[in-house]
Amino acid sequence: MPTAAVHRRSPRPVLQAIDSPPALRCSASSEAHLQAHGEAHPETDERFMALALEAAREAGEADEVPIGAVIVLDGVVVGRGRNRTRELGDPTVHAEMEALREAARSLGVARLPGAVCYTTVEPCFMCAGALSHARVARVVWGVRDPKFGGCASLGHVLSDERLNHRAQITEGVQAAAARALLQDFFRSKRG
């Protein structure tokens, strides 16, 4: 297949532009653990989720629903996003979509096998579909979305056995912080 070379995961100089701080990179042993077992160490999940929470705070400060996401490949942040639907007048600019777009652009590929998406809230059907199309290996989120969640709450887009690609799922990482951001945001809208 002509695109096989594109799918290989090799370090690329372009990653340095949006590289995570050294303290937030996975170690080689953590990355090997992820590839072998489909899961990362809890402390790695906590650190990368902290970056997603940072992006969520930025969204809230911009009067957007406070959801943030980062895409990590080989222990390096390759994409970062936050909700920007109001700012751009575009219902598709969810945090996960923005992070996926940045990752795809920075790497010059449409598929991200081996990548992990850290997002503060369970992805909706649109975002879950995009993560599946991108062949993301694992999706980690803080809290479920009972009204729009497409991965566990209302559907199982990432794990449906009929799909040719299924992602590993981890939920509840930094759930209290993600929940507090959402509650504070919506409380301020009602008050």
Side-chain angles (χ1 to χ4, degrees), residues 2 6 14 19 24 27-28 32 42 51 55 64 73 87 90 106 113 116 144 162 170 175 182 184:
V6 174
V14 73
D19 194 2
L24 294 175
S27 67
L51 295 177
E64 298 279 354
L73 182 63
E87 177 184 339
D90 180 347
S106 70
V116 179
R144 285 191 181 193
R162 296 170 292 180
T170 302
L182 290 168
D184 291 348

Side-chain angles (χ1 to χ4, degrees), residues 8 20 22 30 40 50 58 61 72-73 76 79 82-83 91 95 111-112 114 126 140 143 161 168 179 185 187:
R8 291 192 186 137
S20 58
S30 295
E58 292 170 14
E61 290 166 6
V72 176
L73 182 63
V76 176
R82 65 172 180 84
N83 274 6
R111 303 278 189 254
L112 301 165
M126 173 184 68
V140 180
V143 294
E161 293 192 12
Q168 296 288 323
R179 184 176 298 107
F185 177 80
R187 193 174 297 124

Side-chain angles (χ1 to χ4, degrees), residues 11 20 65 90 110 127 136 177:
S20 58
V65 176
D90 180 347
C127 294
V136 169

Side-chain angles (χ1 to χ4, degrees), residues 4-16:
V6 174
H7 295 282
R8 291 192 186 137
R9 299 181 322 151
S10 59
R12 298 171 194 215
V14 73
L15 295 180
Q16 299 308 313

Side-chain angles (χ1 to χ4, degrees), residues 68-123:
V70 295
I71 305 290
V72 176
L73 182 63
D74 294 328
V76 176
V77 173
V78 295
R80 183 178 187 277
R82 65 172 180 84
N83 274 6
R84 296 176 67 197
T85 59
R86 292 178 179 148
E87 177 184 339
L88 299 178
D90 180 347
T92 69
V93 191
H94 289 193
E96 300 91 341
M97 299 294 283
E98 191 170 70
L100 279 171
R101 286 182 187 116
E102 185 174 284
R105 273 194 305 267
S106 70
L107 297 172
V109 298
R111 303 278 189 254
L112 301 165
V116 179
C117 175
Y118 292 89
T119 181
T120 57
V121 177
E122 174 188 2

